[in-house]
Amino acid sequence: MFEFGPILRTLWRNKIGASLIILQSALTLAIVANATFVLQQRLQLINQPTGIDEQHLFTIDVKPLGQGLFSVGEIQRDTLELRQITGVVDASYISDKPLSGSYSQSNRNAQDDDTTFTISLNQLTTDPHGLHTLGVALEQGRFFNDSDMVRDLKEGKVVVISRGVADAAFGEGVNPIGQQITTFGLPPTGKHKQALKDSQLFTVVGVAADANITSVASVNDGVIFLPFYQPDKSVTYLIRCQPSQCNQLMLAVPQKLKQLDNHRIITGVSTVMSNKDELLRADHTMVVMMMAAIVLVSSITGLGVIGLTLIWVNRRRWQIGVRRALGATRMGIVRYFLMENLLVTSIGLCFGVILTLGLNQLLVEYYQMQALPLSYLLLGMACVWLLGLSAAFVPALRTTTISPAVATRSI
Amino acid sequence: MFGYYLQLAWRSIKKTPVMSALMVLALGVGVAIVMTMLTLQHVESNNALAAKNEQLFYLQLNSSPADELFFGSLENGMPRMVSYRTATTLLKSSIPSHSVAMFRSMFVLSMDDADYQPGSIVGRVSSRDFFSLFDVPFIYGKVWNKQADESAKYQVVIDQTLNQQLFGGGNSVGKTLRLEGKPYQVIGVVHDFMPVPSVQDLTMGKTGGNTHLYLPFGLVRAEQLTPYGQKSCAASDANQDVELGMSANEAFEVELQNLCIWLQFWAELPNADAKARYVDYLQQYFNEQKKLGFFARDFDYALSTPQQWLNLNHVVSNDTKVTTWLALVFLVICIVNTVALLTAKLWRQAPEAGIRQALGASRGAIFVQNLVEAGFVGILGGAFGILLSQVMLMVVRSILANNGAALLGTDSSIYSTDSTMLAVTVLVALISSVLAGLYPAWQVSRTQPAHYLKVQ
């Protein structure tokens, strides 16, 4: 019933046409499978929740006009006033703008009695309202209170760490509350005890839920919160607004700050979402590029198959007529062409698997991409199969219009 | 004969309009996409210092502490920048014809004019050789003198754009602007130096190194200037700690003498001999400092030409490279597709070729005629591709413009095809068309005329 014999013999007579389609479907698979994989990875990164209330946050920079550092009194007054504005859920002082990709990071090799491990974390300095403003939950213990806050880190006594840092520093399941830790996330245990004897140690008073605060993807173990007003020439405030109040507040907050003290410049009012978009711009571009690649490759290959099948059908009108005259049904002829297409595409896919894996290998080796999972290869194969079949379907249907009389007419 | 062949080709294309359009479309889209990607890559990797590529060198020293690498070290294992202590020593060497130590710093800019709205501005704090090393010509005035690199002189050099913005253009030498409230005198106006990528300083992204304002290096200590951008320190650096009870000046002095890296360093070495002597000098300096306990590792260095520095910093993103490779594979698909369709189409015309051959046309003539037809399709596809690539680059430009590229200082107008790219475009189009036409033309010319005469 599947006329493999005649199909193969016909293809053999038309080696070039067939091998071109084989090559084309192989290359198509290579692109479709790899592009889909890259696309999926980027979408995952873009849609991954960060764990902070990113939709309702914005930041604002304040700089004094003259020289000198920002005073703690000024910061406390500003944040207190900001919290009074209607529509503001909370406001706080923060050292780094969330999701801006700008942060202070430390990577330290820690040595246990026999193992070496790396703790890498972001240091974020903020005030007692910081965690609530970000919208990150407190899992254990407490966050800072006013008496914890210092101007000089050397006077600091307590820190709050995120769950990831707690697990990395003390081990999973160990209660971190009350433990000692350095600002680099190192616990004074094992061999460290000696090495860190002169380092300043802080007591962990709270554990925050894991969240990507400074960067979109988690690039490290987590965050260590320091109760510290950095002596600086400028200051950044983070404001969390009630739903749909952000737009109005982005105008009201600068006004309020100007009103409190006019002798300073207020710049950089930006939503955390706009920071996030900026950070993910390359990924958004890549998503568009990959989608375009998939659509273009599919349409070119699809149109190519349609065109070629059309020509083949036309060239074999006489052959089809003869077959019809000898009793072949219309559906039999259609099936013949579809089978032929399926066979050619399948051979192409066999080569395509090699090409796809080869291309992926190059991407992994030279461009730090990840290895292609098998599921994407199978998905890609199914897509190319379907593409070939549906493209061949239209011209194949045309054969039904060829009447058996063609066989008698042509000779 | 050629005219006649063209006529035949045109007639044949008109006979199968859909099929022909499909071939032109496929080839055109393939060429356009490859062109767009190559242009993007070409622009992203532009070396603005190409003219002095053999003389300019970016310096890296193996200054990481023994047990860790400085954050952001490059793949050659060395940190991206040097410390203030190293930079000030190296500036004293007379081996390079010019050397520059520099960093970006942020200032509040105001004017005595009360109407001027104060704002923040990024300035480049640099030693005076900046302008001669990077060939930035002065329009008015001149660079600050040597003393200004060592002690505080409240002078600035501004570029044309800032001059226009602050003073409405013209010779502004002698005029005053205020940074952090202090008056600074303009002593020179230079042409804008805004290369993309900003090869002179790649620490803050593709264009982050470009500034409109330049300040003398001597201000660092007096004004306690700190970098607006990257600064990496080592926890194990014994020189780092600021003691309790230190005055602000003493504390800053510690910052200037520790291992922290935050300055970019360029040297102009006119010939191989100078370079060899400079390396000797670096080694001597390094080993001396290692003896003092400042450096922990063994001497190693990198002197990268601007091109090497661009490559080392991966100015062309992996995303762009991957997309370019995919685009090339896509072009291959388009060519294969066109070859397949052309083969089929010309094959269908084989009876005509048979008749022509029977009437005395040589195989060569048939081959040329079919090649002309194939080439015709190819050239149409190529032309369409060039057109389409211009449209695509226009879209890229408008996307960049809408994305607030101005905010980042990215000039979206740079994404246009230059003459090199146009030449490559034409070449790609031509090669694809010949490739697409060669095989089918040859195949048809080999047909036996008798076969077709019989069928007819």
Side-chain angles (χ1 to χ4, degrees), chain A residues 16 24 42 108 315 367-368, chain B residues 235 318-319 337 347 439:
Chain A
I16 295 306
Q24 203 173 343
R42 298 303 167 103
R108 283 287 167 285
R315 253 171 67 188
Y367 304 122
Q368 287 91 45
Chain B
N318 276 346
D319 281 0
N337 188 60
W347 192 251
Y439 177 74

Side-chain angles (χ1 to χ4, degrees), chain A residues 27-45:
Chain A
L27 288 168
T28 305
L29 176 65
I31 289 214
V32 168
N34 279 297
T36 314
F37 180 50
V38 173
L39 177 71
Q40 184 53 37
Q41 274 186 314
R42 298 303 167 103
L43 282 178
Q44 207 177 346
L45 182 68

Side-chain angles (χ1 to χ4, degrees), chain B residues 174-221:
Chain B
K175 291 185 181 165
T176 309
L177 53 82
R178 283 178 183 274
L179 298 176
E180 309 288 328
K182 278 195 183 173
Y184 284 73
Q185 198 186 30
V186 175
I187 65 154
V189 178
V190 288
H191 279 285
D192 288 3
F193 181 59
M194 298 268 141
V196 178
S198 56
V199 53
Q200 75 274 27
D201 174 5
L202 291 169
T203 53
M204 293 307 291
K206 264 177 216 168
T207 55
N210 293 333
T211 58
H212 296 290
L213 173 73
Y214 304 91
L215 296 98
F217 200 63
L219 291 165
V220 176
R221 186 175 263 124

Side-chain angles (χ1 to χ4, degrees), chain A residues 16 20 23-24 27-28 31 35 42 63-67 105 107-109 152 154 184 233 258 265 267 278 281-282 286 289-290 296-297 300-301 303-304 307-308 311 314-315 359 363 366-369, chain B residues 19 22 26 29 33 37 67-68 71 106 108 118-120 180-182 223 235 242 244 318-319 321-323 325-326 329-330 332-334 336-337 339-341 343-345 347-348 400 403 408 439 443:
Chain A
I16 295 306
L20 285 173
L23 183 58
Q24 203 173 343
L27 288 168
T28 305
I31 289 214
R42 298 303 167 103
K63 288 191 190 96
L65 266 182
Q67 284 199 303
Q105 160 129 355
N107 304 289
R108 283 287 167 285
N109 287 328
D152 186 339
K154 290 212 183 308
F184 302 118
K233 285 182 192 167
K258 267 236 144 64
I265 50 172
T267 53
E278 187 60 42
R281 198 203 282 184
M286 206 60 174
M289 292 277 202
M290 291 303 113
L296 278 173
V297 167
I300 292 286
T301 304
L303 288 175
L308 219 55
I311 289 175
N314 277 334
R315 253 171 67 188
L359 182 64
L363 297 184
Y366 293 104
Y367 304 122
Q368 287 91 45
M369 300 276 159
Chain B
M19 183 76 68
L22 205 64
V29 170
I33 287 184
M37 286 321 298
D67 57 343
E68 57 172 332
F71 183 67
M106 172 82 107
V108 173
S120 43
E180 309 288 328
K182 278 195 183 173
E223 288 302 305
V242 177
L244 271 179
N318 276 346
D319 281 0
K321 285 184 189 162
V322 167
T323 317
W325 280 113
L326 289 186
V329 177
F330 177 66
V332 173
I333 291 183
C334 289
V336 168
N337 188 60
V339 172
L341 291 179
T343 317
K345 185 169 161 2
W347 192 251
R348 215 170 63 167
L400 279 183
N403 267 354
L408 290 169
Y439 177 74
Q443 206 197 17

Side-chain angles (χ1 to χ4, degrees), chain A residues 117-137:
Chain A
F117 58 103
T118 303
I119 293 186
S120 91
L121 48 72
N122 292 153
Q123 295 158 337
L124 199 65
T125 72
T126 185
D127 65 17
H129 289 260
L131 202 65
H132 181 243
T133 312
L134 283 167
V136 176

Side-chain angles (χ1 to χ4, degrees), chain A residues 160-189:
Chain A
V160 170
I161 54 178
S162 65
R163 178 58 65 190
V165 174
D167 289 347
F170 307 111
E172 273 173 58
V174 179
N175 181 9
I177 303 293
Q179 303 266 23
Q180 303 254 289
I181 197 168
T182 71
T183 55
F184 302 118
L186 300 185
T189 51

Side-chain angles (χ1 to χ4, degrees), chain B residues 395-449:
Chain B
V395 173
V396 169
R397 277 197 293 274
S398 74
I399 289 174
L400 279 183
N402 286 342
N403 267 354
L407 198 84
L408 290 169
T410 314
D411 183 5
S412 61
S413 64
I414 54 161
Y415 286 92
S416 59
T417 321
D418 62 15
S419 51
T420 332
M421 290 328 291
L422 204 68
V424 177
T425 317
V426 174
L427 208 69
V428 169
L430 215 66
I431 291 175
S432 346
S433 73
V434 170
L435 274 181
L438 216 52
Y439 177 74
W442 176 72
Q443 206 197 17
V444 170
S445 71
R446 279 179 61 234
T447 51
Q448 296 295 328

Side-chain angles (χ1 to χ4, degrees), chain B residues 263-285:
Chain B
L263 296 106
Q264 300 100 41
F265 198 94
W266 284 92
E268 182 172 348
L269 302 163
N271 51 46
D273 173 55
K275 194 178 171 193
R277 278 188 297 137
Y278 197 56
V279 172
D280 282 345
Y281 165 78
L282 288 175
Q283 179 159 23
Q284 201 188 330
Y285 165 76

